[in-house]
Amino acid sequence: VQLQASGGGLVQAGGSLRLSCVVSGSIFSINVMAWYRQAPGKQRELVAVATNGANPKYVDSVKGRFTISRDNTKNTVYLQMNSLKAEDTAVYYCNADVKRRLLGATESYWGQGTQVTVSS
């Protein structure tokens, strides 16, 4: 199973970016898909999570600005980021809890990270 994230870049404060993450490989189901971020000198934090059959959840600092969505037909999760702030600057990682077989265990996989830089 591989996760490929894309969509990061440099944007001015107030701008928008859309991150994408495609999950490929031997997949039976994906229950949870999420985005994390890690700023320099800080711990990785959960930004948004999309669980099948449940409402998305967000860290307080991005509520009202970021939207997580998923396309289960494409095994893809998106993060629409609007009204970006300098403090959103970080490497963003996608994460997915994948079941590879019907009776198999659920395992957590990570993407390689994509840099988001917001200039003030």
Side-chain angles (χ1 to χ4, degrees), residues 37-45 87-91 93 115:
R37 66 185 179 187
Q38 187 167 18
K42 295 187 177 181
Q43 290 188 334
R44 190 174 296 189
E45 69 168 348
E87 50 264 42
D88 295 318
T89 295
V91 178
Y93 298 90
Q115 176 71 47

Side-chain angles (χ1 to χ4, degrees), residues 11-116:
V11 64
Q12 289 187 335
S16 298
L17 283 174
R18 189 192 193 207
L19 305 183
S20 300
C21 177
V22 180
V23 185
S24 62
S26 178
I27 301 167
F28 174 77
S29 65
I30 306 174
N31 185 33
V32 180
M33 303 182 86
W35 287 97
Y36 289 72
R37 66 185 179 187
Q38 187 167 18
K42 295 187 177 181
Q43 290 188 334
R44 190 174 296 189
E45 69 168 348
L46 177 62
V47 176
V49 59
T51 302
N52 273 334
N55 291 327
K57 295 183 179 180
Y58 301 90
V59 66
D60 285 347
S61 60
V62 308
K63 285 180 180 178
R65 300 188 298 121
F66 290 11
T67 302
I68 188 171
S69 61
R70 53 189 291 177
D71 184 339
N72 290 333
T73 66
K74 298 180 180 180
N75 292 330
T76 301
V77 62
Y78 306 96
L79 187 67
Q80 178 66 44
M81 305 184 294
N82 299 328
S83 303
L84 282 161
K85 305 176 181 180
E87 50 264 42
D88 295 318
T89 295
V91 178
Y92 284 71
Y93 298 90
C94 55
N95 173 265
D97 289 348
V98 178
K99 181 176 284 191
R100 299 176 64 187
R101 298 177 299 277
L102 173 61
L103 299 179
T106 297
E107 299 173 272
S108 183
Y109 295 88
W110 291 89
Q112 84 284 9
T114 184
Q115 176 71 47
V116 172

